[in-house]
Amino acid sequence: DAKTTQPPSMDCAEGRAANLPCNHSTISGNEYVYWYRQIHSQGPQYIIHGLKNNETNEMASLIITEDRKSSTLILPHATLRDTAVYYCIVRSNSNSGYALNFGKGTSLLVTP
Amino acid sequence: DTAVSQTPKYLVTQMGNDKSIKCEQNLGHDTMYWYKQDSKKFLKIMFSYNNKELIINETVPNRFSPKSPDKAHLNLHINSLELGDSAVYFCASSQDVWRGAQETQYFGPGTRLLVL
């Protein structure tokens, strides 16, 4: 799986959009970009994933650059409950058993 | 109803003891996983089972033995517990491992193991 790079921490004011970047410059054509988050003392939670096109669901939007070397997770109106560690993960079908390879993630703090 | 549940939530035990952690999923999924999150918060895969068959066995001491009595359950038994086993253990499940990179995993709440 391609390696990902994320900033270690970010702050966001409540009600504003949180834009979390992820660099995956070595991504290959069959690799998906996944985002999970882990709220303190809870298990990781799936947010969204995509291959080439931008994606949106009830939780967030995922913007993938045309060259697929980076992506941005957007939480449109961050709330205090969005404070968590956000993990950007690149996955391919070649990963035996398809386990998730979590990195260090970005610790997002949403402030009042 | 909780989709992926684990018991116990907390486990405090002495070195050398044998303990088990249970995991159940009611999502009808075929694949289940065990992950370990250490004190530095790194999450790493330990095991993966598909239809009760082992498909991932990472470099984990053989003191750790997963057991899957049926597709809905994947238990983790740990023999001769050591101080370094202290961590949070997460169970997860996904619909079907054969969809590969499109497969979404759903995690349980974790079991916090402390070995004294």
Side-chain angles (χ1 to χ4, degrees):
Chain A
D1 291 342
K3 181 181 168 61
T4 61
T5 304
Q6 299 177 250
S9 63
M10 293 183 64
D11 291 348
C12 178
E14 188 178 19
R16 306 295 291 267
N19 298 292
L20 292 92
C22 180
N23 184 292
H24 31 78
S25 58
T26 60
I27 195 170
S28 60
N30 67 344
E31 290 182 317
Y32 288 76
V33 179
Y34 266 79
W35 284 84
Y36 279 76
R37 73 179 181 183
Q38 187 175 22
I39 295 170
H40 181 62
S41 297
Q42 296 184 21
Q45 177 189 24
Y46 166 79
I47 301 173
I48 198 167
H49 75 282
L51 182 62
K52 295 180 183 178
N53 300 322
N54 297 337
E55 303 287 345
T56 295
N57 63 20
E58 64 278 4
M59 289 182 70
S61 295
L62 174 61
I63 308 298
I64 303 175
T65 58
E66 194 168 339
D67 63 8
R68 302 187 69 238
K69 293 184 177 182
S70 66
S71 60
T72 302
L73 178 74
I74 301 173
L75 307 179
H77 306 286
T79 71
L80 299 179
R81 287 175 292 182
D82 291 322
T83 292
V85 178
Y86 287 77
Y87 296 98
C88 170
I89 301 167
V90 171
R91 304 181 68 198
S92 75
N93 288 339
S94 64
N95 183 1
S96 175
Y98 312 114
L100 293 168
N101 292 318
F102 289 88
K104 297 181 181 180
T106 295
S107 179
L108 174 68
L109 176 64
V110 181
T111 56
Chain B
D1 283 344
T2 304
V4 182
S5 60
Q6 296 179 226
T7 53
K9 187 172 182 179
Y10 298 95
L11 183 55
V12 181
T13 188
Q14 300 285 335
M15 278 176 54
N17 284 350
D18 303 338
K19 291 292 180 185
S20 291
I21 305 172
K22 296 185 177 181
C23 178
E24 176 181 4
Q25 53 94 3
N26 62 7
L27 298 167
H29 288 170
D30 286 344
T31 306
M32 297 184 72
Y33 311 78
W34 276 108
Y35 288 81
K36 178 181 178 180
Q37 187 166 38
D38 61 24
S39 57
K40 295 183 179 178
K41 303 297 184 184
F42 290 118
L43 261 166
K44 293 203 179 297
I45 184 70
M46 298 175 70
F47 301 101
S48 171
Y49 268 71
N50 179 255
N51 274 319
K52 302 195 300 174
E53 291 191 15
L54 181 66
I55 55 173
I56 293 179
N57 184 355
E58 290 296 311
T59 308
V60 175
N62 58 14
R63 297 181 296 103
F64 289 79
S65 53
K67 288 183 171 54
S68 182
D70 54 59
K71 285 196 315 183
H73 296 85
L74 181 61
N75 303 324
L76 184 65
H77 188 75
I78 315 171
N79 288 326
S80 303
L81 278 155
E82 301 177 356
L83 295 177
D85 298 332
S86 295
V88 183
Y89 292 85
F90 289 101
C91 177
S93 73
S94 64
Q95 176 66 49
D96 182 350
V97 70
W98 308 119
R99 290 181 65 214
Q102 296 191 61
E103 211 44 58
T104 297
Q105 294 182 20
Y106 298 86
F107 285 77
T111 295
R112 287 137 190 87
L113 172 65
L114 177 61
V115 182
L116 302 174

